[in-house]
Amino acid sequence: MTQMFADVSVTELLCGGFDATVHLPGDEQYDAQRRPLYPNLDPRPAVVVEAFRREDVQVAVRIARQAGLPFAVQATGHGTRLESNGGVLLKTGGMASVLVDPQRRVAKVGPGARWGEVIDAAEPFGLAALAGSSRDVGVTGYTLGGGVGWLCRKYGFAADSVIRAEVVTADGNVVTCSPHEHADLFWAIRGGSGNYGVVTSLEFRLYPVATVYAGVAYFGIDRALETLEFYRTWSRQIPDELSTAITLTNRPDGSRAMAIKVMYAGDAVAAEAILRPLWEIAGPVREGGYGQMAFGQAQMGGTAARHLDLLDELPEFDVLLKLDATVEIRHWGGAMNDGETPVGHRDAQYSLIIDQEVPELPTTGRTFLNFLADPARTASSYTVENYKRLREIKRAYDPDNFFRLNHNIPPA
């Protein structure tokens, strides 16, 4: 059945000016193209389609729908959490255009663009995008899932900065959405992920941040409790230009250490004045440090989110200090608490991420879609009101749940 579909698909896909590259089981590139980022997934699609233009996406959607087969989309693979078996896997990495309009402070990207390409294109104009911790992450998937980066306390989530999108919907048609066109769809995609269609073009605001004061420094673990207790009060008083996180982690020599991550959208003098009280509690720097640099040069790193919780207040630290794991407490708040998109839980003031599961640790039950490994918990990424509205909009644009191999929001 699978091979029959694949043979028919190749014939159809190669007709009508279709420019995509098609990979079938047994082809030289099939195994490389079918795999996502995560090694625990081993998808076996009937056909892999590498799209290079919007029309390729439309044809792939229509053929999969007509054949009644599963359909999945993958750019860099970072957001792939479910296996695509026996159907069409659409790869958008070949649609990686990046255009920057410095006068409007806007970037327009294709669905295969990565953040590094946007950062490099914007930097000559003294502009920065609301990218995350890795240059290799795909722009579109990150943004549609909310997008939390190191400038978000000042400028909000990446989804909040989207101003226009072109979407191939479940019927294979193209819809342009903005505040004035298909406003319901425009609201839903900015946090509702890939549940409403394949975004083939995304436009979003850039910000006048030429340089930042940033870096990661390691301190003695013996001062961790005092530092975290101080951080509880201090972090509530700092300006939105400053984003920070405290990480408890293992060093290469096996010892435990405390790291303080910093990014300040401003100059070093102002940043150091704000940070000095925290550093005095943490003690002397043992490794790493901070400095003034271009936004794209900041290497902030990340922590695998095996455990994720969004908090209003910081917890008691005794249990966290005893864990033999990487524990990252990150300050949210600021502009992240504002905005009209359905992104996450905007009242959260902190995130707690641990790189292993800790079942005995109490949680609020609130999550963030970009960091969520378990698609079955998708609803926990939204408020009750927003989730209800997302399901209603899903019913309007994809009543059959064609786009379901994702963090799925079923139609109401």
Side-chain angles (χ1 to χ4, degrees):
M1 182 69 177
T2 296
Q3 188 59 49
M4 182 184 299
F5 165 71
D7 291 342
V8 173
S9 295
V10 171
T11 301
E12 294 188 36
L13 293 173
L14 295 178
C15 294
F18 189 68
D19 291 335
T21 300
V22 176
H23 305 284
L24 302 176
D27 290 355
E28 182 179 357
Q29 287 295 313
Y30 173 80
D31 282 333
Q33 292 295 330
R34 68 182 175 87
R35 293 190 182 279
L37 179 71
Y38 305 107
N40 62 309
L41 298 177
D42 188 27
R44 299 283 174 171
V47 59
V48 180
V49 177
E50 287 188 87
F52 298 100
R53 58 177 186 162
R54 179 185 66 192
E55 290 77 10
D56 298 342
V57 176
Q58 291 181 269
V59 173
V61 167
R62 287 169 179 164
I63 288 177
R65 189 172 185 87
Q66 290 165 8
L69 290 169
F71 182 85
V73 184
Q74 182 176 305
T76 64
H78 289 80
T80 304
R81 300 294 185 179
L82 292 172
E83 293 183 343
S84 172
N85 295 316
V88 176
L89 174 61
L90 178 70
K91 301 293 291 289
T92 60
M95 301 173 67
S97 60
V98 175
L99 298 173
V100 169
D101 183 336
Q103 280 72 42
R104 293 173 58 219
R105 294 179 180 172
V106 167
K108 181 178 181 179
V109 305
R114 298 173 185 250
W115 275 119
E117 296 159 340
V118 178
I119 291 169
D120 292 344
E123 186 176 299
F125 305 106
L127 299 173
L130 301 186
S133 299
S134 173
R135 293 171 56 91
D136 292 330
V137 169
V139 175
T140 301
Y142 165 96
T143 302
L144 300 186
V148 57
W150 287 89
L151 294 175
C152 285
R153 278 181 33 80
K154 175 63 175 176
Y155 298 110
F157 293 100
D160 298 337
S161 286
V162 174
I163 59 174
R164 186 182 175 94
E166 179 185 83
V167 184
V168 175
T169 56
D171 55 10
N173 292 323
V174 178
V175 169
T176 297
C177 59
S178 71
H180 311 293
E181 308 165 275
H182 297 278
D184 55 346
L185 179 63
F186 182 64
W187 180 85
I189 65 169
R190 294 177 297 154
S193 193
N195 278 282
Y196 303 90
V198 184
V199 172
T200 52
S201 176
L202 194 69
E203 294 181 54
F204 50 88
R205 286 185 286 272
L206 302 171
Y207 296 93
V209 180
T211 64
V212 294
Y213 180 83
V216 182
Y218 291 87
F219 302 79
I221 195 68
D222 57 307
R223 303 298 296 274
L225 179 58
E226 293 89 343
T227 303
L228 287 167
E229 290 290 359
F230 181 77
Y231 190 70
R232 187 193 303 274
T233 302
W234 174 86
S235 60
R236 297 283 189 161
Q237 303 169 352
I238 61 178
D240 295 347
E241 288 80 3
L242 179 59
S243 290
T244 57
I246 295 181
T247 301
L248 312 176
T249 189
N250 292 318
R251 301 301 296 142
D253 63 3
S255 65
R256 294 288 284 173
M258 173 180 62
I260 299 179
K261 299 181 179 182
V262 166
M263 182 176 288
Y264 180 73
D267 63 72
V269 173
E272 290 173 356
I274 300 166
L275 288 160
R276 190 167 294 112
L278 181 65
W279 292 338
E280 290 174 352
I281 298 293
V285 173
R286 298 189 176 183
E287 185 181 345
Y290 312 102
Q292 198 81 29
M293 64 192 72
F295 170 72
Q297 294 177 333
Q299 301 295 316
M300 306 305 295
T303 300
R306 301 290 181 266
H307 173 99
L308 167 67
D309 203 12
L310 299 180
L311 310 171
D312 298 325
E313 299 286 346
L314 288 178
E316 296 303 316
F317 303 115
D318 291 348
V319 174
L320 301 180
L321 289 168
K322 294 175 182 177
L323 293 175
D324 185 24
T326 298
V327 179
E328 181 173 293
I329 295 173
R330 182 166 171 176
H331 186 207
W332 286 38
M336 300 165 75
N337 293 152
D338 303 321
E340 300 298 327
T341 66
V343 176
H345 298 273
R346 290 187 177 272
D347 55 347
Q349 297 300 311
Y350 303 92
S351 62
L352 171 63
I353 291 178
I354 306 173
D355 69 349
Q356 62 182 241
E357 295 182 4
V358 189
E360 68 275 15
L361 198 64
T363 73
T364 66
R366 298 180 298 178
T367 60
F368 188 73
L369 199 71
N370 286 144
F371 300 150
L372 182 60
D374 182 4
R377 296 186 60 209
T378 297
S380 65
S381 300
Y382 303 100
T383 65
V384 172
E385 295 80 7
N386 282 343
Y387 189 65
K388 179 182 178 182
R389 185 179 174 192
L390 286 167
R391 292 191 64 190
E392 292 169 349
I393 297 172
K394 174 75 167 183
R395 181 180 61 197
Y397 286 91
D398 184 14
D400 300 325
N401 206 13
F402 177 73
F403 298 110
R404 62 184 179 274
L405 292 179
N406 48 28
H407 286 102
N408 192 231
I409 300 172

